[in-house]
Amino acid sequence: MYLKIKRLIDIVLSLIGLIVLSPIYLILIIAIKLESRGPVLFKQKRVGINKTHFSILKFRTMKIDTPKDTPTHLLENPQQYITNMGKFLRKTSLDELPQIWNIFVGQMSIIGPRPALWNQFDLIAERDKYGANDIQPGLTGWAQINGRDELPIERKAKLDGEYVEKISLWMDVKCFFGTIISVIKSDGVVEGGTSVKKVKED
């Protein structure tokens, strides 16, 4: 029952977000175009509900010659690929704003496991153990407020499983406000899998 209510909440809040945040979208689009050549939006194949694939949307934060389908933390010297505007977008998580459209059209939810890259087979397999591939992926989730990039795959998948087991309005409220706190504090944002908290993995 809650999943139907959850989808309704996603539609209403994402529509409000698209309207209210439109001035910010415009400012960020202009800033991205002024700094570097290439498209404003970055599209990447991700794993959706029941392991279907969809194109996640982000504001582009990296140069157009960056290797494709590689998590930032696996790149050699990732800082060389990130634009100055991209550093700001990643630090503030504003690069994720276009995913409000993914939520509105039903490819994602506001709260849920972060969608894995199509080739993150180890994470996908680990999530299978907990049923975490059987619900809509989210803009943010239980794992994101409990470690984010600092977490090993096994721990991240287990936290995603805990969310699936306890999914409820209260759980979503905790994730939502926990995310706001984490973004303000830049918790768990790690460059290259080290303890240097600079660059996001996903």
Side-chain angles (χ1 to χ4, degrees):
M1 180 62 183
Y2 173 64
L3 291 180
K4 293 182 179 179
I5 298 173
K6 180 179 172 70
R7 177 59 191 146
L8 180 60
I9 293 172
D10 284 339
I11 293 172
V12 172
L13 292 185
S14 60
L15 179 59
I16 292 172
L18 288 169
I19 295 170
V20 172
L21 296 174
S22 56
I24 295 177
Y25 275 82
L26 181 59
I27 292 170
L28 295 179
I29 287 169
I30 293 171
I32 292 168
K33 290 300 289 184
L34 286 176
E35 183 187 1
S36 61
R37 65 188 180 90
V40 170
L41 292 178
F42 169 69
K43 296 181 181 181
Q44 191 176 57
K45 188 162 75 170
R46 295 284 182 126
V47 179
I49 187 170
N50 298 323
K51 292 188 282 191
T52 57
H53 291 158
F54 72 100
S55 294
I56 198 171
L57 300 176
K58 294 188 179 188
F59 281 125
R60 182 174 56 82
T61 61
M62 308 186 87
K63 299 171 184 176
I64 59 174
D65 59 348
T66 304
K68 306 295 183 186
D69 291 327
T70 303
T72 304
H73 72 293
L74 294 181
L75 292 172
E76 184 177 348
N77 186 20
Q79 288 289 346
Q80 67 177 312
Y81 297 108
I82 302 174
T83 64
N84 291 325
M85 184 63 189
K87 292 175 184 177
F88 168 75
L89 291 171
R90 284 168 168 255
K91 184 176 181 180
T92 58
S93 292
L94 289 173
D95 60 317
E96 312 285 0
L97 283 182
Q99 287 161 50
I100 295 177
W101 178 255
N102 290 121
I103 295 168
F104 182 69
V105 299
Q107 296 169 327
M108 291 175 61
S109 179
I110 295 172
I111 309 296
R114 280 296 294 166
L117 283 164
W118 68 272
N119 58 0
Q120 286 183 297
F121 303 116
D122 47 357
L123 176 58
I124 296 167
E126 198 68 24
R127 281 177 168 171
D128 268 337
K129 298 177 182 178
Y130 304 100
N133 292 315
D134 301 330
I135 63 171
Q136 292 283 14
L139 180 64
T140 186
W142 189 235
Q144 277 57 55
I145 65 172
N146 285 284
R148 206 170 176 176
D149 296 352
E150 292 179 325
L151 297 172
I153 285 173
E154 293 80 7
R155 176 62 177 158
K156 184 181 290 186
K158 188 173 183 179
L159 285 167
D160 290 333
E162 286 180 15
Y163 173 77
V164 174
E165 183 180 344
K166 301 176 182 178
I167 190 168
S168 64
L169 178 60
W170 173 237
M171 189 68 164
D172 282 1
V173 169
K174 284 198 294 185
C175 290
F176 183 83
F177 287 103
T179 297
I180 293 175
I181 294 171
S182 294
V183 168
I184 292 173
K185 295 168 63 178
S186 294
D187 280 350
V189 183
V190 180
E191 178 178 4
T194 69
S195 60
V196 182
K197 298 185 179 182
K198 290 182 181 178
V199 178
K200 296 190 299 179
E201 172 188 343
D202 57 4

